[in-house]
Amino acid sequence: MIFTSLFVAALASFAMAMPLNLNVASRDVYTPPVTDPTTGTVWTVNDTVTVTWDTSDPPELITNRFGSSIRLRKGDISLPVVLADQFDILLGEIEVTVPWVVAGDDYAIVLFGDSGNFSPTFSIIGGPEF
């Protein structure tokens, strides 16, 4: 019994020490630049607007192609506002509804695919003034 236990432990140690060749293809992080909104853009609360980004040079294998998300920031704060979620990063554009937020000129969107890309700051009007 002791011999069997030692044999199984040695076999398990040997198996764990062997390198695994899973032949997993390497994937690239893809960070397409946001092309709209830009500085000077003004969004109005409840309007439908189009967010665009440049997809002219994607890598062959993208890590998170269909798990993209667009979030809203105000100043240095990421807001708990999801403008779009679970779309193909290679679309290059998506329509979103401007949320009811405080009016301001320090908003940015964050395009998450593999990594976060920030737009330039822009304005949102039509919400409450604070």
Side-chain angles (χ1 to χ4, degrees):
M1 184 71 165
I2 293 175
F3 176 75
T4 304
S5 297
L6 288 175
F7 178 74
V8 170
L11 186 60
S13 296
F14 178 73
M16 290 177 14
M18 291 180 60
L20 293 177
N21 183 6
L22 298 177
N23 198 19
V24 176
S26 65
R27 297 178 186 267
D28 292 318
V29 172
Y30 183 43
T31 56
V34 175
T35 56
D36 195 31
T38 61
T39 302
T41 296
V42 178
W43 286 359
T44 302
V45 169
N46 292 325
D47 278 359
T48 299
V49 296
T50 303
V51 174
T52 62
W53 56 95
D54 181 2
T55 61
S56 62
D57 192 25
E60 195 170 313
L61 295 171
I62 299 171
T63 303
N64 192 19
R65 179 174 169 181
F66 297 98
S68 303
S69 180
I70 295 178
R71 310 293 173 102
L72 188 63
R73 286 179 62 91
K74 179 163 178 41
D76 294 331
I77 299 171
S78 292
L79 303 175
V81 176
V82 178
L83 299 176
D85 206 24
Q86 301 299 310
F87 57 87
D88 182 353
I89 193 72
L90 294 180
L91 287 174
E93 67 178 37
I94 197 160
E95 288 188 343
V96 300
T97 301
V98 180
W100 190 79
V101 293
V102 174
D105 60 1
D106 58 344
Y107 284 96
I109 59 110
V110 184
L111 173 63
F112 286 104
D114 292 333
S115 184
N117 273 351
F118 292 76
S119 73
T121 57
F122 63 95
S123 300
I124 296 180
I125 61 173
E129 302 285 334
F130 284 102

